[in-house]
């Protein structure tokens, strides 16, 4: 999917880095790029392995490079999605969009892509063709500047769709591809009659040629040709020339499969249980045993890699491996035929249950950012594990446990909407395992708070607390009370919030609980105190939290503590110190894709900026925050307490600039997307012309410490806010 720490999909026209050379296809590339200029929906069709995806990515990059500045493209891999409900979620995720509200993901797409000239590459939609087609139709109707480049073995079947059938490589290009890939395997193969006949038999299908090149380490072209000829005659009864291309590919895959050792065939089949990419440790656990010792998996996997059955890719969490869809499908058929599919699915589920548990424990450690990156690349497999749990009636408790254990993924890494869907699904059956159900309940209540759905949050948390008290589950009772305190905080019941949060923190101490949730509870208590006028008490609490976070290597809860401390620095007349604290808070919040934390910091940075004598930049930052708030929920939660610093900043900027100039600056800020807004707030890019225009310098009237409203609270509804 998407690297959360890398550039977004709007970075321009450069194609992604490729590990192997792109051979031929110059005419097709030019034709497809031209087609994208003439039609809003183009679908590249063709047999599996014919090179559709790679050509589409190249064409998308070339199209974007030829467009005016601001145009971009993004690729969505749908082959990893197994549930029709999550097609739109996959698009939101792949494009790096974030939305904390209760809106459906298609509504998020319509809002956040409005006005953007962009190209969406939708790859591997065939298993979910109908929901994919519905989504594309809705997006094209609602986004006039959008173009879609679909990639699959069949059309989407929509009005206005322009088809681009992709043929295999021509003879010369096929030879060039085979010899190039053979050289990559350390085998210098010269053009000759056997090589050309081999390419002809494989009909120029790139995947088939890649598989053949992998075999040239052990066999000569003539030996390969002989074996392939036997395989074709066996499957087609001599009607080789009439063989449809998809049968040719399956024949080539089957022939490569037959040339594998028994251990290689066994691992090929077992690896098909993974969704998306996987690492070596997962492969050893899931696929090892029962005829393939775990210690042998690395050697066997290396052989499959050398034969192009697997591809290696570098990710933020290290090297990972992936099967092409067609190769995976072939392995899955063998796994099912062996009667071993259910056992492998359970082993896969167990590994990812363990991974989620490890990630939850490591979230409050120096590995926190590594955990966020790991969850990002593992999402397809985590979804597959959730689906496995929730389709087995006797394993509903495992689904509840897994959905609850991933709370840090849903609320800390920007996936509230998807998390709510999984949590609600997991809670539909009564599992009979109360502890797992209670955890899913308080996490669901937390997610609902962050989405601004206070009614649902109150109902869920009340249920959780009542059931926890009946079951004698002190941990779940503490979490339910904590989240109810968060709910009071964002609905302006400061006295109630303080009472509930103090009680919850006492419960945590009694059961020995200390993690990011507990640290956030202390920050939330600090907010409640600050809102009631006790800024020194709030500072003491947040200094304690900062020290605890630094002791544990925790960066996410720390960003909220820094926010409170920055507000205190501003109130004490130290805007430079406040800006430094806010820069650190924003860098961490943005790294975790915590939209709520990011927008709150930007709001306070605007107030600090106007206090430093730059009302133009302050108004631009307010405009940028205003664009982000709809993806979080109700701006500043509709809270008088949260809104006071915003109003103070706006009043000061308006006095300095006048209404017309202020509105102009706000509009300029509203034109910044999330990445640009954060970069500007962090001063990672130079202000544009608007920000460079003269503005009053020196203290801005009305922003002195003696003229401030009650302290602003850093976190939205509390706890692990964010997303």
């Amino acid at each position: 999917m998407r690297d959360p720490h890398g550039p977004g999909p709007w970075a321009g026209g450069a194609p992604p880095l490729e590990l192997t050379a792109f051979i031929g296809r110059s005419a097709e590339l030019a034709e497809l790029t031209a087609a994208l200029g003439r039609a809003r929906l183009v679908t590249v069709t063709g047999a599996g392995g014919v090179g559709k995806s790679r050509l589409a990515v190249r064409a998308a990059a070339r199209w974007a490079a030829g467009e005016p500045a601001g145009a971009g493209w993004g690729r969505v891999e749908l082959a990893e999605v197994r549930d029709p409900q999550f097609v739109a979620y996959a698009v939101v995720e792949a494009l790096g969009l974030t939305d904390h509200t209760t809106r459906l993901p298609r509504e998020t797409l319509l809002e956040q892509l409005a006005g953007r000239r962009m190209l969406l590459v939708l790859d591997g939609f065939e298993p979910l063709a109908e929901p994919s087609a519905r989504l594309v139709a809705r997006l094209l109707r609602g986004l006039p500047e959008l173009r879609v480049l679909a990639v699959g073995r069949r059309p989407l079947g929509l009005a206005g769709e322009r088809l681009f059938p992709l043929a295999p490589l021509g003879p010369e290009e096929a030879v060039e591809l085979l010899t190039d890939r053979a050289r990559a395997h350390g085998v210098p193969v010269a053009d000759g009659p056997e090589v050309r006949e081999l390419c002809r038999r494989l009909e120029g299908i790139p995947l088939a040629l890649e598989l053949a090149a992998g075999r040239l380490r052990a066999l000569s072209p003539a030996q390969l040709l002989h074996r392939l000829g036997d395989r074709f005659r066996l499957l087609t009864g001599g009607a080789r020339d009439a063989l449809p291309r998809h049968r040719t590919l399956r024949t080539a895959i089957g022939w490569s499969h037959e040339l594998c050792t028994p251990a290689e065939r066994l691992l090929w089949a077992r690896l098909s249980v993974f969704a998306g990419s996987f690492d070596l440790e997962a492969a050893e656990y899931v696929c090892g045993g029962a005829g393939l010792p775990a210690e042998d998996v690395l050697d066997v996997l290396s052989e499959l890699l050398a034969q192009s059955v697997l591809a290696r890719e570098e990710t933020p969490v290290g090297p990972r491996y992936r099967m092409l869809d067609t190769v995976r499908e072939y392995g899955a058929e063998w796994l099912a035929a062996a009667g071993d599919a259910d056992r492998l699915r359970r082993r896969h589920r167990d590994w990812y249950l363990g991974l989620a548990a490890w990630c939850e424990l490591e979230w409050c450690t120096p590995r926190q950012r590594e955990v966020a990156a790991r969850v990002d690349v593992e999402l397809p497999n985590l979804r597959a594990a959730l689906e496995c749990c929730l389709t087995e009636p006797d394993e509903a408790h495992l689904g509840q446990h897994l959905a609850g254990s991933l709370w840090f993924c849903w609320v800390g890494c920007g996936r509230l909407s998807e998390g709510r869907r999984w949590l609600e699904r997991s809670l539909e059956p009564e599992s009979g395992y109360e502890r797992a159900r209670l955890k899913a309940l308080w996490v669901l209540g937390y997610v609902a708070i962050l989405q601004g759905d206070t009614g649902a949050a109150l109902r869920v948390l009340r249920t959780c607390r009542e059931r926890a008290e009946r079951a004698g589950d002190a941990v779940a009772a503490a979490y339910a009370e904590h989240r109810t305190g968060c709910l009071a905080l964002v609905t302006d019941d400061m006295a109630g919030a303080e009472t509930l949060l103090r009680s919850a923190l006492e419960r945590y101490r009694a059961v020995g609980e200390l993690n990011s949730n507990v640290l956030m509870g202390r920050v939330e208590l600090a907010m409640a105190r600050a809102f009631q006028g006790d800024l020194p008490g709030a500072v003491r609490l947040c200094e304690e939290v900062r020290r605890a976070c630094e002791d544990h290597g925790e960066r996410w809860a720390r960003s909220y503590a820094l926010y409170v401390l920055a507000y205190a620095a501003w109130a004490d007349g130290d805007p430079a110190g406040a800006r430094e604290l806010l820069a650190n808070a924003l860098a961490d919040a943005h790294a975790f894709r915590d939209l709520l934390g990011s927008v709150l910091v930007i709001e306070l940075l605007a107030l600090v900026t106007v206090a430093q004598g730059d009302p133009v930049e302050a108004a631009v930052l307010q405009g940028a925050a205003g664009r982000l708030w709809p993806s979080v929920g109700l701006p500043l939660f509709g809270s008088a307490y949260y809104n006071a610093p915003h109003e103070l900043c706006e009043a000061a900027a308006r006095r300095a600039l006048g209404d017309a100039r202020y509105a102009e600056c706000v509009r300029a800020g509203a034109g910044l997307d999330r990445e640009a807004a954060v970069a500007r707030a962090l001063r990672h890019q130079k202000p544009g012309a608007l920000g460079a225009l003269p503005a009053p310098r020196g203290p801005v009237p009305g922003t002195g410490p003696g003229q401030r409203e009650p302290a602003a609270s850093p976190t939205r509804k509390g706890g692990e806010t964010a997303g």
Side-chain angles (χ1 to χ4, degrees):
M1 299 291 268
R2 186 190 59 85
D3 174 5
H5 308 299
W10 322 112
L17 294 176
E18 297 172 329
L19 299 180
T20 54
F22 184 79
I23 304 294
R25 299 293 198 197
S26 56
E28 293 95 329
L29 181 58
E31 186 180 348
L32 180 55
T33 306
L36 291 171
R38 295 190 293 267
R40 294 184 61 211
L41 173 59
V42 179
T43 301
V44 181
T45 60
V50 81
K52 303 184 295 295
S53 297
R54 199 156 179 186
L55 178 68
V57 167
R58 284 256 164 175
R62 179 174 287 193
W63 174 87
E67 289 292 304
W73 65 280
R75 177 174 178 264
V76 185
E77 176 55 74
L78 289 179
E80 300 172 351
V81 182
R82 300 182 179 182
D83 188 329
Q85 299 180 70
F86 289 102
V87 171
Y89 285 108
V91 178
V92 170
E93 171 76 17
L95 296 185
L97 306 178
T98 305
D99 188 280
H100 288 350
T101 69
T102 57
R103 290 177 299 191
L104 294 173
R106 66 171 179 271
E107 295 169 352
T108 298
L109 291 167
L110 289 169
E111 178 183 300
Q112 297 201 24
L113 300 183
R116 296 193 187 187
R117 185 166 180 81
M118 65 159 293
L119 173 64
L120 176 64
V121 181
L122 204 64
D123 199 352
F125 63 82
E126 301 97 306
L128 300 167
E130 288 190 16
S132 299
R134 288 195 299 270
L135 178 63
V136 168
R138 182 69 185 90
L139 294 179
L140 290 175
R141 285 197 305 270
L143 299 169
E145 294 297 310
L146 175 70
R147 279 171 163 71
V148 175
L149 176 56
V151 182
R153 299 177 197 174
R154 47 157 288 181
L156 281 169
L158 296 175
E161 180 179 21
R162 176 168 183 156
L163 299 184
F164 190 92
L166 184 63
L169 295 172
E172 300 303 322
E173 292 178 341
V175 170
E176 184 181 358
L177 177 64
L178 181 65
T179 55
D180 176 84
R181 299 303 190 256
R183 283 193 299 272
H185 288 292
V187 182
V189 175
D191 185 2
E194 293 89 355
V195 168
R196 287 187 171 267
E197 178 63 11
L198 185 59
C199 292
R200 188 184 75 81
R201 294 280 186 90
L202 295 174
E203 296 193 343
I205 297 175
L207 176 56
L209 295 168
E210 298 258 9
L211 293 171
R215 286 297 172 186
L216 290 174
R217 296 183 314 137
L219 300 172
S220 70
Q223 289 173 315
L224 273 180
L225 188 60
H226 176 73
R227 288 173 176 266
L228 184 60
D230 288 344
R231 174 72 177 174
F232 271 19
R233 281 191 292 273
L234 176 64
L235 290 183
T236 67
R240 186 180 64 220
D241 293 340
L243 188 65
R245 289 197 169 103
H246 70 275
R247 277 293 296 278
T248 301
L249 179 60
R250 287 189 59 78
T251 299
I253 294 174
W255 153 74
S256 186
H257 186 266
E258 286 183 355
L259 292 176
C260 287
T261 65
E264 291 164 4
R265 289 198 293 268
L266 186 59
L267 183 59
W268 182 343
R270 291 179 177 179
L271 289 173
S272 69
V273 77
F274 287 99
S277 65
F278 54 90
D279 61 18
L280 175 61
E281 290 77 14
E284 287 175 331
Y285 176 84
V286 175
C287 303
L292 180 61
E295 58 269 22
D296 293 348
V297 168
L298 173 58
D299 290 339
V300 180
L301 186 147
S302 298
E303 284 302 307
L304 293 178
L305 189 64
Q307 296 162 29
S308 299
V309 173
L310 293 177
R312 172 178 162 148
E313 57 187 37
E314 295 299 326
T315 74
V317 294
R320 294 175 68 81
Y321 307 93
R322 180 185 296 272
M323 277 185 175
L324 289 177
D325 297 336
T326 308
V327 175
R328 180 188 289 112
E329 290 168 7
Y330 193 92
E333 291 175 6
W334 275 83
L335 188 64
D340 209 18
D342 289 342
R343 184 182 71 86
L344 264 293
R345 284 185 72 212
R346 288 192 294 271
R347 288 187 66 81
H348 177 274
R349 175 208 64 201
D350 291 345
W351 173 262
Y352 286 98
L353 280 166
L355 177 68
W358 177 85
C359 287
E360 184 181 22
L361 289 172
E362 294 294 319
W363 180 252
C364 190
T365 73
R367 291 184 171 183
Q368 194 172 49
R369 286 192 177 179
E370 177 188 337
V371 168
R374 181 69 181 271
V375 167
D376 191 70
V377 300
E378 294 287 14
L379 263 180
N381 285 303
L382 288 166
R383 289 168 179 148
L386 280 162
E387 193 67 39
C388 178
C389 295
L390 298 178
T391 52
E392 295 292 334
D394 295 336
E395 297 182 352
H397 63 291
L398 296 178
Q400 292 167 356
H401 176 75
L402 180 54
S405 295
L406 290 170
W407 67 265
F408 61 91
C409 173
W410 314 137
V411 306
C413 301
R415 298 184 179 92
L416 289 178
S417 185
E418 178 176 352
R420 183 162 182 176
R421 181 65 62 90
W422 285 117
L423 288 160
E424 289 176 339
R425 278 191 61 190
S426 76
L427 288 165
E428 287 172 2
E430 280 285 354
S431 65
Y433 290 77
E434 195 68 358
R435 178 170 293 182
R437 185 174 190 82
L438 289 171
K439 185 168 189 176
L441 279 169
W442 73 254
V443 175
L444 176 57
Y446 185 18
V447 167
I449 291 173
L450 298 181
Q451 291 186 306
D453 192 355
T454 56
L458 183 60
R459 289 191 298 273
V460 168
L461 292 172
R462 183 179 293 140
T463 299
C464 182
R465 189 170 181 179
E466 291 171 354
R467 294 182 70 143
E469 298 290 359
R470 286 199 302 270
D473 190 327
V475 173
Y479 279 103
E481 187 167 42
H482 176 183
R483 296 307 166 201
T484 307
C486 297
L487 184 58
L489 185 69
V490 299
T491 53
D492 285 356
D493 178 8
M494 295 304 134
E498 181 175 358
T499 299
L500 288 163
L501 290 167
R502 285 190 184 280
S503 176
L505 289 170
E506 185 56 42
R507 287 176 184 260
Y508 286 142
R509 279 191 289 271
V511 297
E513 193 86 347
L514 179 61
N515 54 30
S516 296
N517 284 288
V518 177
L519 294 171
M520 281 302 306
R522 296 177 186 173
V523 175
E524 291 151 11
L525 178 59
M527 297 176 206
R529 292 305 309 152
F531 282 147
Q532 295 177 89
D534 182 14
L535 194 57
V539 169
R540 285 194 298 273
L541 282 165
C542 286
E543 287 288 5
E544 292 173 3
V545 171
R546 176 157 77 167
R547 288 193 293 272
C549 286
E550 289 170 354
D551 287 345
H552 288 81
E554 214 280 1
R555 303 295 294 253
W556 179 66
R558 174 178 172 271
S559 69
Y560 286 94
L562 294 180
Y563 183 98
V564 179
L565 295 172
Y567 182 86
W570 168 81
D572 287 340
D574 181 15
R579 182 175 292 279
E580 183 178 355
L581 290 164
L582 290 171
N584 287 326
L586 181 56
D588 283 336
H590 187 60
F592 291 120
R593 298 178 63 205
D594 179 349
L595 184 57
L596 174 62
S598 298
V599 71
L600 286 169
V601 170
I602 292 172
E603 287 276 11
L604 187 52
L605 270 172
L607 183 58
V608 170
T609 301
V610 78
Q612 288 184 305
D614 192 348
V616 167
E617 187 66 12
V620 170
L621 291 175
Q622 284 201 316
R627 173 172 174 168
L628 296 177
W629 274 115
S631 295
V632 177
L634 184 64
L636 293 159
F637 326 121
S639 162
Y641 291 95
Y642 283 97
N643 198 46
H646 176 90
E647 289 183 342
L648 185 62
C649 176
E650 179 180 342
R654 283 185 184 276
R655 280 194 297 271
L657 300 174
D659 290 345
R661 180 76 171 115
Y662 173 80
E664 179 187 358
C665 295
V666 168
R667 284 195 299 272
L672 302 174
D673 62 17
R674 180 164 58 98
E675 294 288 339
V678 170
R680 180 151 187 158
L682 293 174
R683 300 292 187 179
H684 286 174
Q685 64 182 39
K686 294 179 181 179
L690 186 71
L693 291 176
R697 295 291 168 180
V700 176
T703 63
Q707 296 172 295
R708 294 186 174 127
E709 299 293 328
S713 162
T715 133
R716 167 188 183 175
K717 325 176 172 191
E720 282 108 71
T721 39

